[in-house]
Amino acid sequence: MKRLKNQHLWMPAIAVLATVLMLLCSCSDDMVTGSKVRTDNVAEAVFTFDGAVSKFANYRTFDEKMAACQIPEDLLKKLPTERLVQLCAQHPLNAICYAYDNPMTGAKYIMAHFNGFQELKSRSDAAEKLVDFYSGIDYAHVQSEPYAITLKDRNGNTYSNSGISFVELILASGEISQLTNATEAAKLTAAVDDKFEQKAANPSVFSAVSLRSSLMVRANIALESGRLNGEQAKAVSSFYECGGSLDRMGEVSRILFTGK
């Protein structure tokens, strides 16, 4: 990960840091495991969570809901990697991450119990497709009223803000080993810096909690790079291990964006 050295990179970083500190201060139609699958053409097999969600009221436990959101095994291997990434962003239970004191704990629970993520993790192009998907998310143009925050990708598909935050937690989790590759790490650094600045530029919509998931990605990249000095690594690691302490966002932002 390259630190911001040139003046034209320093100015946005300082502006972002100032904003952070301000925020801190103030399938056929057949039902398979409860989800819809249309396989009119195997090469274009479609899976959605619609069927599972429609039956959530009939389930008594969270585990039953998780089980209903699994992708049928005979379809799992046929789905392209891009679609697996989208399904992670669309998982109807991904907002549960924020019911945990440490959102990463919740994210890892979903990752461990969703076969779509386990399949994604096994794909050799997982890192490439995750970074490409995340790079295409537009935080600059957002639908926030009268509905919950809705984001679009470069193809015009819509996602909830919590869904994209879940993708950020995947990117920050260390579960996708290929993200440590220098090429993918550089692409991800550029993408997350862009998303962080887009969020920071719109504080009336994106709170410090939303900024936190982006900062978790940046923190993991920095820790994996081994380029932080002892005190910096200690501060960033402490922030990361607790799932992104809001109290330490200002300090960690300064370290990650200015190197100080």
Side-chain angles (χ1 to χ4, degrees):
M1 180 187 67
K2 296 182 179 179
R3 297 180 183 172
L4 303 176
K5 295 180 178 180
N6 298 323
Q7 184 177 1
H8 72 283
L9 293 176
W10 272 74
M11 295 307 294
I14 293 172
V16 168
L17 178 58
T19 304
V20 173
L21 293 174
M22 289 174 62
L23 283 169
L24 292 174
C25 294
S26 56
C27 337
S28 70
D29 292 332
D30 296 333
M31 299 304 297
V32 185
T33 64
S35 299
K36 289 185 179 179
V37 180
R38 187 174 70 248
T39 54
D40 303 325
N41 183 331
V42 172
E44 298 178 359
V46 175
F47 172 86
T48 75
F49 294 111
D50 294 348
V53 173
S54 70
K55 291 192 171 185
F56 271 6
N58 299 328
Y59 302 131
R60 295 189 299 174
T61 69
F62 182 78
D63 287 343
E64 287 178 315
K65 293 180 180 180
M66 280 296 299
C69 293
Q70 301 305 309
I71 300 171
E73 291 296 328
D74 62 344
L75 180 64
L76 193 59
K77 301 291 184 182
K78 299 172 185 175
L79 290 174
T81 306
E82 294 92 335
R83 183 58 184 148
L84 291 171
V85 173
Q86 291 176 335
L87 288 170
C88 285
Q90 294 168 346
H91 196 289
L93 300 174
N94 55 36
I96 197 67
C97 299
Y98 299 97
Y100 288 76
D101 291 335
N102 185 334
M104 185 61 80
T105 301
K108 288 196 171 185
Y109 178 88
I110 295 175
M111 291 181 221
H113 292 83
F114 176 43
N115 65 350
F117 174 76
Q118 293 301 314
E119 176 63 24
L120 172 65
K121 184 178 176 180
S122 74
R123 301 285 179 93
S124 61
D125 59 346
E128 175 190 350
K129 299 306 182 184
L130 274 163
V131 174
D132 183 64
F133 171 83
Y134 181 55
S135 297
I137 297 299
D138 184 8
Y139 282 97
H141 302 90
V142 56
Q143 172 75 51
S144 60
E145 294 181 353
Y147 308 105
I149 299 173
T150 301
L151 302 167
K152 289 185 178 182
D153 65 16
R154 60 171 59 92
N155 296 316
N157 301 310
T158 58
Y159 304 86
S160 68
N161 185 47
S162 64
I164 304 304
S165 292
F166 177 57
V167 170
E168 288 183 311
L169 291 174
I170 290 175
L171 291 166
S173 69
E175 293 283 331
I176 306 296
S177 60
Q178 305 101 312
L179 287 171
T180 60
N181 173 283
T183 299
E184 295 303 333
K187 290 179 182 177
L188 181 55
T189 298
V192 73
D193 286 0
D194 177 55
K195 306 313 168 192
F196 192 90
E197 290 187 15
Q198 286 181 348
K199 291 182 188 180
N202 197 355
S204 64
V205 173
F206 298 107
S207 67
V209 172
S210 184
L211 286 168
R212 175 176 63 182
S213 55
S214 297
L215 203 57
M216 283 285 287
V217 180
R218 198 60 153 76
N220 187 59
I221 295 170
L223 291 170
E224 290 289 342
S225 75
R227 296 177 183 175
L228 300 175
N229 66 37
E231 287 301 312
Q232 291 173 334
K234 181 178 179 180
V236 174
S237 180
S238 177
F239 168 82
Y240 179 86
E241 291 300 327
C242 68
S245 169
L246 295 178
D247 292 338
R248 306 201 70 167
M249 280 184 63
E251 175 190 11
V252 171
S253 296
R254 184 176 64 252
I255 292 170
L256 297 178
F257 288 105
T258 72
K260 294 184 178 180

